[in-house]
Amino acid sequence: MSDPILRVTDLRVRYGPVEALRGVSLEVADGQVVALVGSNGAGKTTALRAISRMLRPASGLVAFRGEDITRLAPYEVVARGLAHAPEGRGIFLNLTVRENLVLGAYLRKDLAAVDEDRERAFGFFPILKERLRQVAGTLSGGEQQMLAVARALMSRPKLLLLDEPSLGLAPQVVERIFQVLKEISRAGTAILLVEQNAQKALQLAARAYVLETGEIAMRGTGAELLASPEVRRAYLGE
C-alpha cells in the first residue's frame, strides 16, 4: 500500500492551559475523502487549522506527501498542494468574485492552467460566472460557500481541507456542494472534511474519524461508522 498523502501523528494543540487536541493521529490516502465528525467543541476546526499551519501545535507531526510540514509557513503549505477552506468561508468580502479567484491562484505561474481551473470552477458552480464582477459580500450564503470552495481549488491542491461547508445553507445548496465534493474526489483531489451534517459526511467518506474532547474516539470506513449505533445516537439523533 502506498504512503498516505497526509499523515498526522500525535498532534497536540493548547490554548493556554486548555489542551484542545490530545494526541490526534489520522491518515488520508491519495484521492480519498476522509470525514472528521464530532460535537461542537470537540476540536475538529482546531485539527484542520493545525494541519494547514494556521495555528502552531504544541507537539506532534504533520506529514504531507512524505514531507514534515509541521514548521512550515501557511503559504509554503499551500505551495506544496494543500488548500484550506475554513469555517465561516473566509473569503474577501470587499473583493469581487473574480478577485477572490485570482487570489486563490496567487502562487501559480502557469497562467493557461489557471484559466482552465477557473473554467472548471465555473463548471462546478455556474452561478459564480454570472456573479464574476459582483462583490463577494453581496452574495448569498450559498454562493459565498461555493466561492470559498472554488477559491481553494484555484491553487490546484492535492489535498483540500473543508470546514463545515454545509453550515447554514439551504438543502438544495447542500446537495450541490456535496455533489461537487464527490466530483472533486473522483478527479483525484483528496479531501479532509469537517462537517456538522454527519450523515452526509459519512455517506461521502471512504474513511472517517470521530473526535471527542480532543481525542479520536472511533475510526473506520464511512459505512462502518454510519452503521454504528453509538454514532447514530450521538450524531444522527436516533
Side-chain angles (χ1 to χ4, degrees):
M1 183 177 177
S2 60
D3 288 337
I5 191 170
L6 178 73
R7 176 179 282 129
V8 177
T9 307
D10 197 25
L11 192 64
R12 296 177 181 271
V13 173
R14 294 187 179 90
Y15 296 113
V18 178
E19 194 168 33
L21 293 183
R22 299 187 285 179
V24 167
S25 296
L26 59 84
E27 293 183 354
V28 180
D30 200 10
Q32 190 178 62
V33 179
V34 173
L36 186 59
V37 300
S39 59
N40 290 338
K44 306 183 300 298
T45 292
T46 295
L48 293 194
R49 288 172 61 85
I51 291 167
S52 67
R53 298 294 294 124
M54 292 176 70
L55 59 79
R56 181 180 298 178
S59 62
L61 174 72
V62 179
F64 178 61
R65 304 176 76 185
E67 178 187 4
D68 181 0
I69 64 168
T70 314
R71 291 174 177 80
L72 295 185
Y75 75 89
E76 293 175 310
V77 172
V78 173
R80 281 159 172 76
L82 190 155
H84 184 180
E87 183 181 18
R89 295 153 197 159
I91 58 175
F92 295 97
L93 296 176
N94 60 328
L95 300 182
T96 65
V97 168
R98 178 186 176 279
E99 289 165 336
N100 270 276
L101 294 176
V102 167
L103 285 174
Y106 79 102
L107 289 176
R108 296 176 59 182
K109 308 299 182 187
D110 51 339
L111 298 183
V114 168
D115 289 341
E116 290 174 6
D117 286 345
R118 184 169 57 244
E119 290 304 313
R120 178 170 173 251
F122 293 153
F124 289 143
F125 305 117
I127 192 66
L128 294 182
K129 192 167 188 176
E130 299 176 26
R131 303 280 192 265
L132 195 58
R133 292 178 175 81
Q134 189 168 327
V135 174
T138 65
L139 300 176
S140 70
E143 291 164 352
Q144 289 184 4
Q145 185 61 64
M146 293 175 191
L147 179 56
V149 174
R151 188 186 65 178
L153 291 175
M154 287 302 296
S155 66
R156 194 171 276 192
K158 300 294 184 183
L159 172 63
L160 178 60
L161 309 184
L162 276 174
D163 196 351
E164 302 286 10
S166 79
L167 187 63
L169 302 184
Q172 65 268 27
V173 179
V174 173
E175 289 297 329
R176 182 58 193 152
I177 292 287
F178 272 84
Q179 180 58 41
V180 167
L181 297 186
K182 187 181 297 185
E183 293 172 21
I184 291 169
S185 173
R186 285 174 179 165
T189 299
I191 298 172
L192 179 56
L193 173 66
V194 164
E195 173 53 53
Q196 46 99 28
N197 188 330
Q199 178 148 342
K200 281 211 160 291
L202 294 175
Q203 286 172 341
L204 178 66
R207 293 195 58 78
Y209 297 83
V210 175
L211 192 62
E212 293 182 357
T213 59
E215 297 179 290
I216 299 295
M218 297 179 68
R219 68 186 70 207
T221 67
E224 287 169 349
L225 293 190
L226 192 58
S228 161
E230 295 91 339
V231 170
R232 299 191 73 83
R233 279 196 300 270
Y235 305 111
L236 302 181
E238 296 185 1

